[in-house]
Structures are given as C-alpha cells and as structure tokens.
Amino acid sequence: ILNVEQSPQSLHVQEGDSTNFTCSFPSSNFYALHWYRWETAKSPEALFVMTLNGDEKKKGRISATLNTKEGYSYLYIKGSQPEDSATYLCALSYNTDKLIFGTGTRLQVFP
Amino acid sequence: GAGVSQTPSNKVTEKGKYVELRCDPISGHTALYWYRQSLGQGPEFLIYFQGTGAADDSGLPNDRFFAVRPEGSVSTLKIQRTERGDSAVYLCASSPAGGSYNEQFFGPGTRLTVL
C-alpha cells in the first residue's frame, strides 16, 4: 500500500507570516508529484506538477521543492494572506494515471 | 472557459436507495477520473476513463458502485443500495490526454449524505 503523508495536519498563522508544510512519499517508482489547493466550497486547484529530483517551482508567493531520492516535497508560502486559507493536498502518481493523495494540511491565516 | 461541473452539488438519500452522480468534463478532455473524499481522509481514487472505456476501475470499493461514460464526455457514477459509509464528497476530474505527468482539473464535488 502506497502511503502519502502530509504534515502538519493543520496550521494557524498570522497574516504576513511565512509558512511551510511537508509531503512524504515512497520514492521507488515515482513518476510525478502534484500539489493542489482546495478552498471550501470550490474545486481543488492545481498549483504544481513536479517530476525531477531537485525541481523547484514558484507561483507568486508560493513555491515548492522536490526530493525524489529521499521521498519528500516542501510547499512554502511567503507572507501568508487570509485568501491563502485552504487545504493543501499533495498527490503522487506512480506508473499509472491515478493520483494517490495525502490527507492534506489545513491552513488558516488570521488577519 | 467552462471548468468541470458536477451535479447535484448536494445529495441526501436514505440507506438502501439508488443514486446517480453526474460529471461534465472540460470539452475535449479524453481522460476522466472519479475520486471520493471521506471525512478526515484525502481523496481516494475510484475509476479512470480514457474515452468511453474504463481504463482502471481498481478503486471501486464493491459491486454496488458502477460508472459509465457512453459517449466519451459526460460520466455518471451510480451507487446501488447506498450505505451510511458511502457518505463522502465525490470528486470528478478531467485531463486532456491522461498520463501521470498531466494536471487533472477537478470539479467542485458532490456531497453525498446517506441517512
């Protein structure tokens, strides 16, 4: 059974703080890692798809890194804003099309 | 452009009833996926279509669950003899061509509650 773990489960930060969370996964037969942001009552929105060891991707104040050899990815948010409040999901694909999700990190940013 | 849509957004039913959940993918996307998220869990894969055919149905929990995509566009997830444990958010996603590296575009989900 492939197990994708995310930590922490939840996080509360003040507006302006920077924060980061972790996704850990089995590294063998890795194909791609996907980060999604899921706001309440909306559709999960793709942030990044990462495939290469050492990959770093950035979108505005959000960035992510990938280490496929040791099986982890970090997601960073710089200068958190209340609109960043959401559940951040990590998902892995191995040699199939289906995504295997972690349980998510729920981020709440207080003004 | 229009994203993935799912109907209904909420469905409340009684134990033992039959339900159908509908997914309209992004136009032109050949790959379509169903996932479900139970309380406190991440989304779990149910089934994947490439065109009209189910390419991988290994996530369907039992034979009460069935999904179709007869014309390679709209898909319907069908659940017979619903049980309280079927209560979850059912998510649909589509992708231009499938593949492990391609982004999957999600709908807002259908929240199913079985009383």
Side-chain angles (χ1 to χ4, degrees):
Chain A
I1 296 175
L2 295 167
N3 199 29
V4 178
E5 295 186 356
Q6 291 190 247
S7 62
Q9 275 193 325
S10 65
L11 201 49
H12 300 102
V13 302
Q14 287 294 128
E15 183 176 357
D17 287 350
S18 293
T19 187
N20 67 84
F21 10 100
T22 307
C23 174
S24 303
F25 54 89
S27 55
S28 57
N29 299 317
F30 168 89
Y31 267 54
L33 182 143
H34 304 240
W35 279 105
Y36 284 87
R37 173 170 61 201
W38 193 2
E39 293 178 65
T40 303
K42 294 189 177 178
S43 304
E45 172 200 355
L47 293 172
F48 307 112
V49 181
M50 307 174 79
T51 57
L52 299 176
N53 185 44
D55 239 357
E56 290 189 28
K57 295 214 171 179
K58 189 174 179 187
K59 184 188 280 192
R61 293 179 291 99
I62 304 177
S63 59
T65 61
L66 177 65
N67 183 322
T68 61
K69 294 192 186 309
E70 296 181 35
Y72 64 84
S73 174
Y74 294 136
L75 188 80
Y76 300 91
I77 303 178
K78 186 177 175 182
S80 304
Q81 299 296 309
E83 58 264 31
D84 296 329
S85 297
T87 296
Y88 290 82
L89 290 165
C90 159
L92 275 294
S93 52
Y94 289 86
N95 58 349
T96 66
D97 282 65
K98 64 187 177 189
L99 295 178
I100 300 168
F101 283 87
T103 52
T105 293
R106 177 173 283 195
L107 173 67
Q108 188 118 18
V109 182
F110 294 103
Chain B
V4 177
S5 62
Q6 293 186 244
T7 53
S9 53
N10 277 285
K11 175 73 178 176
V12 180
T13 191
E14 291 179 345
K15 181 174 177 296
K17 299 287 189 185
Y18 168 82
V19 296
E20 289 190 352
L21 311 179
R22 176 186 167 111
C23 172
D24 281 82
I26 293 172
S27 177
H29 281 195
T30 60
L32 185 145
Y33 308 81
W34 284 98
Y35 295 86
R36 76 172 174 182
Q37 187 195 32
S38 302
L39 198 61
Q41 305 294 318
E44 290 179 298
F45 170 79
L46 295 176
I47 187 169
Y48 154 54
F49 287 90
Q50 184 60 258
T52 60
D56 183 350
D57 64 358
S58 61
L60 294 176
N62 52 59
D63 61 6
R64 295 186 299 104
F65 288 75
F66 190 70
V68 295
R69 195 185 185 201
E71 296 176 3
S73 178
V74 170
S75 176
T76 305
L77 179 66
K78 308 179 182 201
I79 311 174
Q80 298 178 320
R81 304 183 305 280
T82 51
E83 299 178 357
R84 293 198 179 88
D86 299 335
S87 296
V89 175
Y90 288 80
L91 290 166
C92 175
S94 70
S95 180
S100 302
Y101 308 106
N102 290 324
E103 178 181 340
Q104 294 183 19
F105 297 81
F106 280 84
T110 293
R111 182 176 294 277
L112 175 66
T113 304
V114 182
L115 301 176

